[in-house]
Amino acid sequence: MFDRLRVMLMKELLELHRDPWAMFRLVVPLLLQLFAFGYAATFTVNHVATSVLDLDHSQESRGLISHFAATGRFDFVDFATSQADVTRDIDAGRATVAIVIHAGFARDLLNGRTGPLQVAVDGTNSNTALIALGYVGRIVARYQADRTGVTVPAAAAGASGVSVTLRERPWFNGGLEDRWFFIPGLIGTLTLIQVVSLTAFAVVREREVGTLEQIMVSPIRPIEFILGKAAPFFFIGLGEVLLITMVGEWWFHIPFLGSPLVMLLGASLFLLAALGLGLLLSTLSRTQQQAFALNFFIVNPFFILSGFAFPIAAMPAAMQWFTWINPLRYFLVVTRAVFLKGVGIAVLWPDLAVMGLLGAVLFGLSILRFRKSLD
Amino acid sequence: MKADDAVVLAQALTKRFGAFTAVDGLDLAIARGEVVGFIGPNGAGKSTAIRLLCGLLRPSAGRAIVAGYDVGREPEAVREHIGYMSQKFSLYGDLTVRENLQFFGGLYRVPRRELEQRMGLAVALAGLEGRERALVRTLAGGWKQRLALGCAILHRPPVLFLDEPTSGVEPEARRKFWDLIHHLASDGVTILVSTHYMEEAEYCNRIALIDAGRLVAIGSPGSLRRRELGGTLYELECSALGAAVAAANSAPGVIDAAIFGDKLHVLMAQGADTAELARLLGRARITAGPPRAIIPSLEDVFVRLVAKPRDRRSGA
């Protein structure tokens, strides 16, 4: 078995070595995506384009507006003079948020009544809208506190009675940096995309060129062929994991608190599953187009239903079930935990075990599916 | 030949793809050291038949024994004992001559001590001495083809299946390739080779004419020419070939008339008179030279044999 495995491996490595673009294709898209996510992917809402309509023209209304300006979260793009201006700003997309302070704001406040303040938000991007509204609530609460000298939590603003003070102290990511969340997650996501497509195409290409027929007619066993095909991509996958981890730690300064060995174990089990998936796709495709379509069809749902960006707990039950058979789901838990929490096998063993199981099943299926026949 | 002596034996071998029958009840027995050619138009089922015999496709019915092993039941044992060149060129272009040989030698587990010597022979066979380090994709067609043959025989298979090995190769390289085939056959290798070049059929010990999945005729080139036509073949130079075919077909004693290049070939029953043919052509205002009796080419035989079952079908 090892004789044939060795010649398969040698052949794969030579082909890879002769491909002048191989290094480029393996490293450049990975780094581009890594930096795109590192710098651009953030849930933080800043510089929200805001239209202001002050119909009260009082010291109090100007005070409220200056509270908005002071946070830096809101950029005033228009000081409107009428309600129609505000509507136009939102319709045209010039402003995401409109703040309308109605006449009588100062009078009502001075009389101890609730001042009429209207906030309109463009809800097209529900996430941004929600976060912007949260800021609005906090700024208004702060304004009220500054005016009255009493600290009132945002949610309880206006309510009287017991005063509760909230001191936030997030664990593992004290600054709540989105980057700390995304970059460890990218290790699994980018590696999955690369490894699945590389492996799927590697077999299909041989089928198209005709060399696969020449291999099938030889006495090679399916397991020798599959392992020989997969092994180089396993090491390529490990290299990519290492690359992203290093860039994450040294360029983006994401803390790496856990053990590199746990990361290595997790990555190996995850790669087993990813390779199995790629090989399975390749046995289901006759042409590179088919492999491409299948790859797109499979990898995107794996990405969306993994917890990389969208919380699994918020998904409908049926979608949550799918995440149980998604190896990326488990590897995301492992990478984030190893980076940020520094926990080890004692905590992560269930995730590692499931990845191993999925890997064994997918790999086994691809060996069974690889028939040495053209039927 | 007795079936027991056959190195390649097919009995009612059939392959269906859905409703389409690609190979239909093929019976074939090939002796050790024989070179047998599969001749037939594209889509006749030559490649499918070869793939069945290699164990790349499972037979729908019938069976095949190759090198003593049943293809349907022991495909792995068959694989150890055959060499195969598929229709598509299938070496690794990004690997050197030597690396390709090492790879295929390794697949067949040629012992390392022997591999070196056999690789040397394969390189010599392909005429690639001194170019062992050249990438295969940089080689011209003829060399690639001979190297592919060298790769296919590294494990010394007693049976070789070559599926259109010379397609797209220039005539000079094709001739060299056939020299190699005969060299191997003289060492006792049994070779089944398909081609659509009629002139290559002449190089085979026996020819199997295949059309629409069926074996139409099998025999040596000479015997096929003598036996299968069933008449005397005449060649005429004449004007208006299309009209000439119609006129000739209506002449008494004419079995078949067909255009052959820029000439007319007329097959006449044994002993029939050509005078009536000339008279009918003259009446149709066709200027024709005198009919000359010729030795039929294999193409004549093939055209005639393939036409026969169709005539019967349209007549029914």
Side-chain angles (χ1 to χ4, degrees):
Chain A
M1 160 152 179
F2 290 103
D3 300 347
R4 293 211 191 96
L5 195 54
R6 187 179 53 80
V7 295
M8 270 300 292
L9 204 61
M10 273 297 290
K11 185 217 85 175
E12 293 295 322
L13 293 177
L14 279 169
E15 282 196 291
L16 213 59
H17 167 70
R18 296 276 153 75
D19 181 354
W21 290 97
M23 255 338 237
F24 180 86
R25 274 186 288 118
L26 292 177
V27 172
V28 172
L30 197 75
L31 287 179
L32 279 178
Q33 294 190 58
L34 184 55
F35 282 100
F37 269 101
Y39 285 111
T42 169
F43 292 133
T44 312
V45 175
N46 263 329
H47 302 292
V48 181
T50 307
S51 172
V52 180
L53 175 60
D54 182 0
L55 298 171
D56 196 45
H57 302 291
S58 60
Q59 195 186 334
E60 283 73 14
S61 67
R62 280 190 292 275
L64 179 61
I65 291 168
S66 68
H67 266 76
F68 273 92
T71 61
R73 303 271 192 201
F74 296 89
D75 286 352
F76 297 133
V77 292
D78 187 19
F79 289 93
T81 51
S82 71
Q83 191 77 41
D85 286 354
V86 170
T87 310
R88 206 167 331 115
D89 284 342
I90 298 262
D91 281 351
R94 255 198 310 280
T96 306
V97 171
I99 299 166
V100 181
I101 303 169
H102 287 283
F105 179 76
R107 189 191 60 224
D108 285 345
L109 283 186
L110 292 173
N111 291 338
R113 287 200 297 269
T114 306
L117 169 70
Q118 185 194 351
V119 177
V121 179
D122 176 0
T124 313
N125 184 337
S126 55
N127 196 44
T128 306
L130 210 61
I131 293 170
L133 271 177
Y135 293 148
V136 171
R138 282 196 217 172
I139 291 166
V140 172
R142 167 117 11 102
Y143 170 75
Q144 186 152 334
D146 288 352
R147 236 179 56 81
T148 57
V150 181
T151 310
V152 183
S160 57
V162 190
S163 159
V164 178
T165 310
L166 175 68
R167 289 246 171 76
E168 293 175 343
R169 192 169 77 80
W171 284 12
F172 309 124
N173 183 355
L176 288 180
E177 301 240 20
D178 292 327
R179 199 177 279 166
W180 288 24
F181 173 71
F182 276 126
I183 288 181
L186 281 176
I187 294 175
T189 309
L190 295 182
T191 312
L192 180 81
I193 293 170
Q194 281 261 19
V195 165
V196 170
S197 63
L198 279 176
T199 347
F201 280 97
V203 182
V204 177
R205 202 179 316 117
E206 285 217 34
R207 196 187 291 277
E208 278 196 345
V209 174
T211 44
L212 191 63
E213 192 167 329
Q214 210 63 49
I215 286 182
M216 278 183 183
V217 86
S218 83
I220 195 171
R221 279 182 287 170
I223 190 167
E224 294 163 337
F225 176 79
I226 293 279
L227 287 182
K229 268 281 166 201
F233 297 115
F234 178 79
F235 292 107
I236 286 172
L238 279 186
E240 303 202 325
V241 168
L242 185 70
L243 179 68
I244 304 173
T245 304
M246 290 194 311
V247 173
E249 202 182 336
W250 291 326
W251 183 270
F252 289 112
H253 304 292
I254 319 282
F256 188 96
L257 303 176
S259 151
L261 284 177
V262 178
M263 182 66 106
L264 183 67
L265 177 65
S268 302
L269 294 172
F270 174 68
L271 283 169
L272 192 67
L275 289 166
L277 186 66
L279 289 166
L280 198 58
L281 293 190
S282 76
T283 64
L284 295 170
S285 322
R286 297 271 133 190
T287 63
Q288 299 203 41
Q289 279 101 320
Q290 281 179 13
F292 182 80
L294 256 180
N295 188 32
F296 183 76
F297 178 70
I298 297 284
V299 170
N300 264 3
F302 269 69
F303 168 73
I304 293 164
L305 301 175
S306 65
F308 172 74
F310 317 112
I312 293 171
M315 294 174 191
M319 302 264 171
Q320 289 197 26
W321 293 332
F322 179 83
T323 67
W324 291 112
I325 57 157
N326 183 353
L328 184 55
R329 173 205 169 121
Y330 303 98
F331 192 47
L332 285 175
V333 172
V334 171
T335 50
R336 284 170 178 159
V338 169
F339 258 94
L340 301 178
K341 296 186 184 173
V343 295
I345 290 179
V347 174
L348 295 173
W349 70 265
D351 298 279
L352 295 168
V354 179
M355 274 198 292
L357 186 71
L358 286 171
V361 168
L362 286 167
F363 226 85
L365 276 179
S366 66
I367 290 172
L368 288 177
R369 279 263 341 163
F370 180 76
R371 293 248 177 281
K372 286 176 64 180
S373 119
L374 301 167
D375 281 272
Chain B
M1 178 179 27
K2 288 196 310 236
D4 302 349
D5 300 335
V7 177
V8 176
L9 180 71
Q11 290 175 328
L13 192 63
T14 301
K15 181 66 186 179
R16 284 183 284 268
F17 297 106
F20 173 67
T21 305
V23 173
D24 193 358
L26 179 71
D27 288 306
L28 192 67
I30 305 177
R32 181 174 179 276
E34 237 191 325
V35 178
V36 172
F38 269 8
I39 310 281
N42 286 333
K46 304 187 297 282
S47 290
T48 308
I50 288 178
R51 284 169 169 174
L52 282 168
L53 293 169
C54 290
L56 282 171
L57 291 171
R58 263 180 296 269
S60 312
R63 63 169 195 154
I65 310 286
V66 171
Y69 300 96
D70 187 307
V71 170
R73 267 178 273 154
E74 308 155 281
E76 287 304 321
V78 170
R79 288 186 178 114
E80 300 270 4
H81 294 90
I82 60 166
Y84 170 63
M85 262 180 79
S86 71
Q87 206 170 353
K88 274 191 193 169
F89 174 72
S90 31
L91 297 178
Y92 293 94
D94 279 346
L95 265 54
T96 65
V97 169
R98 203 183 144 74
E99 286 159 356
N100 267 287
L101 288 164
Q102 278 173 328
F103 175 67
F104 285 103
L107 277 193
Y108 287 92
R109 287 207 215 148
V110 176
R112 240 177 272 187
R113 299 180 301 284
E114 284 177 46
L115 184 59
E116 206 55 45
Q117 185 227 342
R118 291 194 197 176
M119 288 198 319
L121 285 177
V123 167
L125 181 103
L128 284 167
E129 294 101 331
R131 300 193 62 187
E132 290 89 341
R133 287 171 187 282
L135 292 185
V136 162
R137 67 176 144 82
T138 65
L139 301 178
W143 273 287
K144 279 185 191 170
Q145 228 68 12
R146 288 194 294 274
L147 179 62
L149 181 66
C151 286
I153 59 171
L154 277 174
H155 58 295
R156 303 265 160 97
V159 186
L160 256 182
F161 294 101
L162 311 175
D163 192 2
E164 304 211 355
T166 54
S167 67
V169 177
E170 53 180 284
E172 171 63 15
R174 270 180 11 219
R175 211 183 41 72
K176 276 192 196 163
F177 193 86
W178 276 94
D179 288 345
L180 292 180
I181 291 178
H182 284 288
H183 176 73
L184 290 168
S186 67
D187 287 344
V189 178
T190 306
I191 298 164
L192 179 59
V193 52
S194 73
T195 178
H196 58 250
Y197 295 112
M198 280 293 171
E199 75 270 19
E200 289 191 342
E202 310 276 355
Y203 303 142
C204 300
N205 299 127
R206 281 196 298 155
I207 305 167
L209 294 179
I210 299 199
D211 183 52
R214 305 187 73 99
L215 183 68
V216 181
I218 184 162
S220 70
S223 80
L224 278 182
R225 277 196 293 258
R226 282 191 304 275
R227 198 178 66 210
E228 299 292 344
L229 232 43
T232 312
L233 188 70
Y234 292 94
E235 185 178 75
L236 297 86
E237 289 180 32
C238 61
S239 62
L241 282 166
V245 170
N249 268 323
S250 67
V254 169
I255 302 170
D256 191 25
I259 298 167
F260 208 87
D262 56 351
K263 298 187 178 68
L264 185 68
H265 280 194
V266 182
L267 180 64
M268 303 199 65
Q270 221 67 47
D273 192 4
T274 57
E276 190 62 10
L277 171 67
R279 202 183 61 79
L280 276 171
L281 286 175
R283 211 171 63 184
R285 296 181 200 288
I286 292 160
T287 45
R292 286 183 297 114
I294 55 163
I295 298 167
S297 71
L298 281 168
E299 203 160 346
D300 289 304
V301 176
F302 189 72
V303 167
R304 177 72 197 135
L305 287 172
V306 168
K308 255 202 280 188
R310 290 205 185 121
D311 290 349
R312 253 181 256 131
R313 244 173 282 152
S314 58

